[in-house]
Amino acid sequence: MKAVVLARGVGRRMQQPADAAAITDAQRTAADSGAKGMMPIAQDGRPFLDYVLSALADAGVSDVCLVVAPDAEHLRRYYDGAGRPQRLRIHYAVQPIADGTAHAVLAAEVFAGPDPFLVLNADNVYPVAVLRAMIQMAEPGLPVFLRGALVVESGFPAARVAAFALVEIANDRLVRIVEKPSPAQLLAAGPESLVSMNVWRFEPSIFAACREVPISARGEHELPEAVGVALAAGATFRAFLAQGAVIDLSQRSDIADVTARLAGLEARP
């Protein structure tokens, strides 16, 4: 199985200062650059992205394409050198400008070729069981998460979860996805509504939708909206309820909690 890891984002939230964030000088340097994936977490300086890749290897992924910025020399030097994975083959795709996650996926079209592939964020460590279930699905789809569970089990701030894409499912199929739901939509959905954590299994047919998706209100080509384009064209996506905590590294105030959650875990990409 192949996987595409979206590591192109500029990390604006990570760049914002946080007075309460107790971080090391090395972590502050990474935060200032917005490099969430390369944030040193372990005492030996191992970056957060190593844990993302290790979970993929545990799930059975063999080849990973990192979608990166044109100037991602530090990341490339690490994964082509001292941090070269033992269980994964690393590939790269360049997204010239940070114009949205749909175009980030589109950058990996050559890597994917005719094969199915997973797509996931570089700043989330997903449960291995969830990733393994996606590999075994044998069709396009996604795990869906209960909003309340992400707050309780994953320790996400409620305000952050409120910004996640709302999903509606029927008969284990995705019916609708709402990127950046409004307060009224969140109220109507209720606290036990389902959300997407932007982890997907796709077929190559998704690339057509990624090309067609319009610019969002945020000025980007968003992957959830590309999925909406695919749904409107007749595509189907299987959905299943995911269990387990997701580790999220979005901003400086997350670093201490992420470090604690990953303590004692060995990253073996």
Side-chain angles (χ1 to χ4, degrees):
M1 174 59 67
K2 297 177 178 179
V4 174
V5 177
L6 308 181
R8 171 61 174 93
V10 295
R12 292 187 182 92
R13 285 181 294 173
M14 182 60 73
Q15 291 174 335
Q16 295 174 358
D19 294 338
I23 57 179
T24 66
D25 289 342
Q27 289 171 336
R28 185 173 294 105
T29 298
D32 288 343
S33 71
K36 292 183 285 187
M38 296 306 292
M39 176 68 63
I41 295 296
Q43 291 183 349
D44 61 359
R46 184 178 291 276
F48 181 79
L49 187 52
D50 272 6
Y51 295 91
V52 178
L53 297 175
S54 186
L56 287 171
D58 288 345
V61 170
S62 59
D63 288 82
V64 173
C65 180
L66 302 177
V67 180
V68 299
D71 60 351
E73 290 90 356
H74 176 56
L75 182 149
R76 286 177 179 264
R77 282 198 303 270
Y78 177 77
Y79 284 108
D80 291 343
R84 183 184 297 273
Q86 300 299 308
R87 298 193 292 160
L88 297 168
R89 289 181 291 269
I90 296 293
H91 311 256
Y92 302 97
V94 174
Q95 185 183 9
I97 58 174
D99 57 352
T101 48
H103 280 191
V105 171
L106 194 57
E109 184 172 14
V110 172
F111 163 77
D115 304 316
F117 58 99
L118 304 187
V119 169
L120 59 154
N121 295 331
D123 55 2
N124 290 130
V125 177
Y126 302 93
V128 172
V130 171
L131 298 172
R132 189 175 292 126
M134 296 174 69
I135 292 173
Q136 296 171 349
M137 286 169 64
E139 61 181 311
L142 75 159
V144 295
F145 297 81
L146 286 167
R147 282 174 59 196
L150 287 175
V151 173
V152 174
E153 297 176 6
S154 300
F156 289 10
R160 186 180 304 178
V161 178
F164 294 164
L166 280 176
V167 295
E168 297 177 15
I169 63 174
N171 298 319
D172 297 328
R173 298 286 173 174
L174 179 65
V175 174
R176 183 170 178 249
I177 183 165
V178 180
E179 174 75 343
K180 306 303 178 187
S182 68
Q185 289 171 320
L186 288 172
L187 183 61
E192 293 305 305
S193 56
L194 300 172
V195 299
S196 165
M197 283 292 296
N198 205 40
V199 54
W200 302 85
R201 177 187 169 117
F202 287 132
E203 300 286 345
S205 55
I206 194 63
F207 294 120
C210 289
R211 288 190 179 89
E212 296 170 12
V213 66
I215 296 177
S216 70
R218 297 198 304 164
E220 298 183 353
H221 300 273
E222 309 276 7
L223 183 56
E225 294 190 6
V227 170
V229 169
L231 284 171
T236 61
F237 298 89
R238 180 172 294 280
F240 67 94
L241 184 61
Q243 304 289 334
V246 179
I247 298 175
D248 181 52
L249 183 64
S250 293
Q251 52 200 39
R252 295 182 195 222
S253 57
D254 298 327
I255 295 174
D257 179 66
V258 166
T259 300
R261 287 176 180 268
L262 293 176
L265 295 180
E266 181 184 6
R268 298 189 306 109

